[in-house]
Amino acid sequence: MEKQTVTIYDVAREAGVSMATVSRVVNGNPNVKPATRKKVLDVIDRLDYRPNAVARGLASKKTTTVGVIIPDVTNIYFASLARGIDDIAMMYKYNIILTNSDENSGKEVQVLNTLLAKQVDGVIFMGNNVSPELKAEFDRSRTPIVLAGSVDPTNTQPSVSIDYKAAVHEGVARMLKRGYKRVAFVSGPLDQPINSEYRLAGYKDALADAGIDYDEQLVFETDYSYQAGYDLQEALTAVDATAAFVGDDELAAGVMNGMNDAGISVPEQFEILTSNDTKLTEIVRPKMSSITQPLYDIGAVAMRLLTKLMNNEPVENKNVLLPYGFVKRGSTNSNEV
Amino acid sequence: MEKQTVTIYDVAREAGVSMATVSRVVNGNPNVKPATRKKVLDVIDRLDYRPNAVARGLASKKTTTVGVIIPDVTNIYFASLARGIDDIAMMYKYNIILTNSDENSGKEVQVLNTLLAKQVDGVIFMGNNVSPELKAEFDRSRTPIVLAGSVDPTNTQPSVSIDYKAAVHEGVARMLKRGYKRVAFVSGPLDQPINSEYRLAGYKDALADAGIDYDEQLVFETDYSYQAGYDLQEALTAVDATAAFVGDDELAAGVMNGMNDAGISVPEQFEILTSNDTKLTEIVRPKMSSITQPLYDIGAVAMRLLTKLMNNEPVENKNVLLPYGFVKRGSTNSNEV
DNA sequence: TCTATTATTGTAAGCGTTTGCAGATATTGC
DNA sequence: GCAATATCTGCAAACGCTTACAATAATAGA
């Protein structure tokens, strides 16, 4: 007794109208006489009719779903962006197909293709490295794709992020101004442009401004995990670093705890400035000073931008930079400013 | 010059076969002569043909996508489950439509309906409270729905979780055994069965076992936020609580930091046992002792269970309970065990 | 009252695949 | 060399809905 699914045809028959009319009322088309509309609505209600979105997608060539490629949902930074994305998506009646990529280029390409095969109306990509193959896929796709919290050095893809280079530049400059000479730069993989071409570049700029020579020994390249940061303590003290700019909060929490556990107290003996201002910065002790960035908004704005692109609305600026700032918390000393 | 999408028909024409044959090779149907298969494959490659999943979904009545309802991706506990879900889903060639519900019953019902309208092949629900309305939707749906890390007291819905009641019972018993008389119970909303019918019940059982009277003053009902926990300090000390079992890690971190910041040091003057063993427990200082539960696996097993349900495979046990355990870390004193 | 308009509604052709059935080929056994 | 089987292929009908375009009904103007 498999309950038969009720189709638009059933509704039409019951209501004594054509399916075109039913379709119209379902889609809020105004060209329907109020009386007719009510009649149809009643039948829909009675039959508990639910339009089949797949059929609708086939016929209209719109699925009202967008794909979201995320490195790892478990990473609070990306999860925060994802939340912004989903909220706005919902607001515009879109759903999100979420897939983890682990920043694996092959997987990213593959996932993008299945997303496109599913006819998503658009996609939002989060990831710190747009590989050439991926870039190629982006280019040949007619589906709008926007980057969120990520950068593509070629600046050819719509994106929403902050000015990473300037932010790091300013953040490091502040530490330098406070007298720290040995400020380490610890980040994720340097083959990711966001780390090499933006953050590291900003770091170098700050150094240059302060007239300090760039010392490669102070640059630490690791993965984004807490443990990786934690394990950095020895190496950090070995090169006499007395402060560090860290490219990720979880990573930063790791180096902070690693230092503290080794008896090098933060911030007294070692300052730390982290990058993402996730809630982790508040939970950890001492709390971490950080570059601030509107995480939720990056996602939200990216999604909003995507809606415009999907509707072929004109977009003034395809590469939006949201404002960043700084919060001074416990992992940094309170000298001037 | 809108690039025309290439359809199965184009491939058929080019390859000089019928679309049925193309369909067969695309779907790996073995009834195709190798030579024909190769010919088709070549054309597919040359034309860069990508099957339209929507059309496929309409025709086959399968979308290979499952819906996932999550309270909030930003919550590390649920995000961890989600990761397990997505990995297994991907392994079985499914995609995930992820939507945040904020544990809002109305939103949950609404979201479930749009998911079903999109013809997902199954759904995984995370949330601590299955409202009657939602339950009703579950019941009338022919689409399999499994609960992950969540419980439905009626035990009528397939689910994967741990035995919350037993875990809390044991955890609190351990604290009691160490001599704590005033163990507080702090959790999220008590109108959520997981808190009232499971955790609180376990707490009461432990009390009973130890011959200690249940004191309602020791029960704290809040929301799951860090801040809520942080703000609990005064109330907690007001009732002379000397330890607490907390139902959520972020909440627990809040309680711990609140106490510590108020000069009540954990664990010397106040013990804390938390529930979810997320990475937060390791990042915080002191680290938090916790009930351990296989977060990733709960999601993974739930998804695996769902695949079976979607394929009408027989399932021995529709309500799987995964094992839990305990880790002693810094927020708890190291007395016997 | 009659015609020109405008508001409603119906017709039917897709949308791109899957699939049951039937026809066409190729194999195998004698 | 021929019938009986086993393999391959092609046909064409769905799948459930959207949407030009055509048809019909309602309303307005003269």
Side-chain angles (χ1 to χ4, degrees), chain A residues 84 126 157 209 214 230 244 253:
Chain A
M126 292 181 265
Q157 202 66 214
D209 283 358
Y214 169 66
Y230 194 90

Side-chain angles (χ1 to χ4, degrees), chain B residues 18 20-21 24 33 36 61:
Chain B
S18 71
T21 297
R24 291 195 187 92
K33 197 198 302 181
T36 308
K61 292 173 168 304

